[in-house]
């Protein structure tokens, strides 16, 4: 990345002196005249698992999309101390900020292997590294290995979500952002996918998770941001939320 792409900024350091993996300050976004996200501050440390909770319409999806530059926003976004606010989406992804969107966004008429390969597009012809990433994804999600030549649209919802996460991992993320990965899945399947995210996090991957099923997210997250009406209503350790009642008092605060 050139100096024109990013400028060093003063980001809040972690306890070990490093800047956060990602930090946003005063980030906002609108759809026309509707302010979907009011100025928000948020950070994820290196290797941290952070979740964003909130009711429908709180601005959770817009937050992730604004960080990924999929929607225009105002405010500052810094990645490991570098200001990336002006970067286009493809350069943000190249840095290692990768998003699994709600709805999965798979290419339904392509095979599992072809969908995964698209995730490694940025590697060009680096065959050995691509095969290494295939092996990692197949180890995490053995069903994808078994269905490597199957058309994506013919898979179950849970298998498609595994594929969406696997494709994101093929890009080599440093920060993996996920928008409602449990949506529409049976509880057992959703729990399995969240357990895999926990394993990835224990291996050092930073994760920013938007989720409505609070019990699933709170099993894994270290910190929680509660959003309501486009604003952060609370930032607190995950173990301080013991019930839906605890969340509701922030939603309506």
């Amino acid at each position: 990345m050139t100096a024109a792409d990013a400028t060093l900024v003063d980001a809040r350091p972690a306890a070990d002196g490093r800047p956060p993996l990602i930090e946003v300050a005063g980030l906002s976004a609108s759809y026309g005249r509707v302010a979907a996200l009011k100025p928000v501050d948020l950070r994820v440390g290196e290797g941290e698992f952070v979740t964003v909770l909130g009711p429908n319409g709180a601005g959770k999806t817009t937050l992730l999309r604004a960080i990924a530059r999929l929607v225009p926003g105002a405010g500052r976004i810094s990645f490991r101390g570098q200001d990336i606010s002006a970067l286009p989406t493809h350069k943000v992804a190249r840095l290692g900020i990768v998003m699994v969107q709600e709805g999965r966004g798979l290419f339904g008429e392509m095979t599992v292997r072809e969908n995964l390969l698209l995730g490694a597009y940025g590697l060009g012809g680096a065959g050995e590294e691509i095969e290494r990433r295939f092996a990692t994804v197949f180890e995490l999600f053995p069903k994808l290995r078994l269905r490597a030549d199957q058309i994506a649209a013919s898979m179950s919802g849970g298998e498609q979500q595994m594929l969406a996460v696997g494709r994101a991992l093929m890009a080599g993320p440093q920060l993996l952002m996920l928008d409602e990965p449990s949506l529409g899945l049976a509880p057992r399947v959703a729990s399995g996918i969240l357990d895999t995210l926990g394993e990835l996090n224990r291996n050092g991957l930073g994760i920013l998770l938007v989720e409505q099923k609070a019990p699933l997210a709170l099993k894994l997250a270290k910190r929680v941001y509660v959003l309501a009406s486009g604003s952060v209503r609370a930032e607190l350790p995950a173990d301080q939320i013991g019930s839906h009642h605890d969340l509701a008092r922030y939603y309506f605060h």
Side-chain angles (χ1 to χ4, degrees), residues 113-132:
R113 183 178 294 276
E114 289 168 339
N115 270 276
L116 290 173
L117 190 57
L118 285 174
Y121 177 81
L123 289 176
E128 289 187 7
E129 178 60 20
I130 289 173
E131 290 305 316
R132 188 189 69 79

Side-chain angles (χ1 to χ4, degrees), residues 64 75 99 102 126 162 216:
L64 296 192
M99 180 177 175
E102 181 183 338
M162 294 175 195
L216 284 177

Side-chain angles (χ1 to χ4, degrees), residues 116-117 119-121 123 130 133-134 137 165-173:
L116 290 173
L117 190 57
Y121 177 81
L123 289 176
I130 289 173
R133 293 186 188 184
F134 267 125
V137 169
V165 174
R167 185 177 62 183
L169 295 175
M170 292 291 291

Side-chain angles (χ1 to χ4, degrees), residues 67-210:
I67 292 173
R69 308 299 296 155
L70 292 168
V71 297
R76 191 189 72 202
I77 307 168
S78 60
F79 179 72
R80 289 179 171 149
Q82 294 182 314
D83 186 348
I84 62 170
S85 308
L87 294 188
T89 301
H90 70 281
K91 289 190 176 181
V92 170
R94 194 175 298 161
L95 286 174
I97 301 170
V98 180
M99 180 177 175
V100 179
Q101 299 192 59
E102 181 183 338
R104 300 159 195 149
L106 301 175
F107 294 90
E109 297 307 310
M110 299 175 69
T111 67
V112 167
R113 183 178 294 276
E114 289 168 339
N115 270 276
L116 290 173
L117 190 57
L118 285 174
Y121 177 81
L123 289 176
E128 289 187 7
E129 178 60 20
I130 289 173
E131 290 305 316
R132 188 189 69 79
R133 293 186 188 184
F134 267 125
T136 298
V137 169
F138 289 151
E139 183 176 351
L140 287 167
F141 300 113
K143 283 189 176 181
L144 296 184
R145 185 193 302 274
L146 295 174
R147 289 160 172 73
D149 297 319
Q150 185 170 333
I151 296 299
S154 68
M155 300 167 70
S156 70
E159 291 165 348
Q160 288 186 22
Q161 188 63 69
M162 294 175 195
L163 178 54
V165 174
R167 185 177 62 183
L169 295 175
M170 292 291 291
Q174 304 299 306
L175 173 69
L176 181 61
M177 303 193 299
L178 304 104
D179 189 8
E180 304 281 7
S182 72
L183 188 66
L185 303 183
R188 180 180 58 81
V189 176
S191 181
I193 289 174
L194 268 290
D195 286 345
T196 300
L197 296 180
E199 180 181 347
L200 289 166
N201 177 248
R202 288 189 292 274
N203 289 330
L205 179 61
I207 293 178
L208 180 59
L209 171 69
V210 159

